[in-house]
Amino acid sequence: MTLPNKYDWKKLQLFCQELFEKAGVLKKNAEIVADSLIQADLRGVDSHGVVRTAIYVERIEKNMINPFADPEIEAEDTSTVLVNGNNNLGAVVGTKAVEIAMEKAKANGAAIVGVKGSNHFGTGAFYALKAIEKDMILLVMSNASQTMPPTGGKRPFIGTNPLAIGVPAGKEAPFILDMATSVVARGKIIVASQKGQDIPLGWAVDKNGKPTTNADDALEGAVLPVGGPKGYAISMFIDILAGVLTGAGFGKYVHNMYENWDEPQNVGHIFIAIDINRFIPIELFKERMDHYISEIKAEPKADGVEEILIPGEIEFRKVIERKKNGIELPEKVAVELDNIGKRYGVDLAKAVFSKNEFVNQEEVINKC
């Protein structure tokens, strides 16, 4: 039986939330994790959306994640905090850390929160949006398990260690940079593999260090750093901050959640929050941001270009479109979710998108 491929975002979020609760996650934490996955799918970052549900649940089932542990502060000063995630779900740990960072920044102007003992935490944009809602600037960095070779090497040593930055604006869409330090996030190769699709040349190498367009071969090999040695250097710096500095894993000591079933991941994160009001009034800042963005968008366009976009604008529009028209899932992902749902008594069919259920466009835009 072929499952439907379009799902209502709110219902799919409730499905995931209930699934995590049945798997042993506290309700408040299940809400956070489900929200992080759905926000990724809404923004078009399918590689970090509900496709990750199965591996999260499996690691909980096999005691590789502790959903009962509370993240705790291990060290604290005026503007710096070290959080031990105690091996809880990454989105739970990351949310706690960003809340601390914003609270500290409000009190002191800026704050740096380092995290150890975490897991895969989803998209950086998920946290950047939380800071934007509070009229703050946020920088997010995380290390990851080894999937990328150092420049000159041929086997994975460092992760695709992501960097995200969120900056609020006024009438314009906020600036949101959310990027892996690889040419492409490894999750996109996973999605291509699930769909049976090839990948562009230059994304990855096979296990012998040879360029490949085969997604399966790429997953056995390594993704390549963006910008060659520049991307490698940035990834290494993120690993130093998120891993070496915090006491988390680094390099080969950040364990792969798909392959290592003996040890926790011990992922490290860094959150840097800045209170804009300590520099200029927030409304003036937003006016200046709008002015800046409008001038960029008014620049002469290259041949064949219809519009100049700012980082995060494509995703901003994607949220509106997917809230209105549903989230499309590959059949393999839908089957996987359906099977897990059946094991836990949660019905995926209730999340199927119906064209008869309309969403008010103004409401959608206001919530993006």
Side-chain angles (χ1 to χ4, degrees), residues 86-279:
N86 287 323
N87 198 32
N88 205 322
L89 289 146
V92 174
V93 178
T95 297
K96 177 68 173 178
V98 78
E99 287 172 353
I100 293 171
M102 291 189 294
E103 182 181 339
K104 283 280 187 183
K106 202 67 176 174
N108 303 296
I112 302 175
V113 176
V115 177
K116 66 178 182 179
S118 187
N119 286 282
H120 184 271
F121 78 161
T123 64
F126 178 67
Y127 308 98
L129 282 164
K130 292 180 182 297
I132 287 170
E133 289 174 359
K134 299 293 185 181
D135 289 332
M136 290 190 178
I137 293 171
L138 185 73
L139 285 74
V140 185
M141 291 171 276
S142 178
N143 61 12
S145 58
Q146 51 187 148
T147 52
M148 194 165 71
T151 297
K154 70 175 186 179
R155 69 177 186 179
F157 179 83
I158 54 177
T160 59
N161 304 339
L163 165 67
I165 302 170
V167 183
K171 295 179 181 178
E172 299 287 349
F175 173 98
I176 300 179
L177 169 69
D178 190 0
M179 57 169 277
T181 45
S182 55
V183 175
V184 66
R186 190 170 185 269
K188 290 190 176 181
I189 300 177
I190 293 172
V191 171
S193 172
Q194 290 172 334
K195 292 181 177 179
Q197 298 174 345
D198 284 341
I199 59 172
L201 192 65
W203 275 18
V205 293
D206 63 19
K207 62 183 179 182
N208 298 311
K210 304 295 183 184
T212 183
T213 59
N214 184 285
D216 293 333
D217 289 345
L219 291 175
E220 291 183 3
V223 294
L224 294 172
V226 63
K230 295 179 181 179
Y232 156 53
I234 294 170
S235 181
M236 184 174 173
F237 175 64
I238 292 172
D239 211 8
I240 291 168
L241 284 184
V244 179
L245 179 66
T246 65
F250 57 85
K252 64 183 181 180
Y253 304 109
V254 182
H255 302 126
N256 190 299
M257 67 176 171
Y258 289 96
E259 297 172 5
N260 189 318
W261 297 98
D262 298 315
E263 301 164 285
Q265 277 199 279
N266 197 17
V267 176
H269 318 307
I270 289 283
F271 297 89
I272 303 175
I274 301 170
D275 183 5
I276 294 167
N277 275 309
R278 296 300 184 105
F279 293 85

Side-chain angles (χ1 to χ4, degrees), residues 26 43 218 361:
L26 298 175
R43 292 176 61 80
Q361 185 75 352

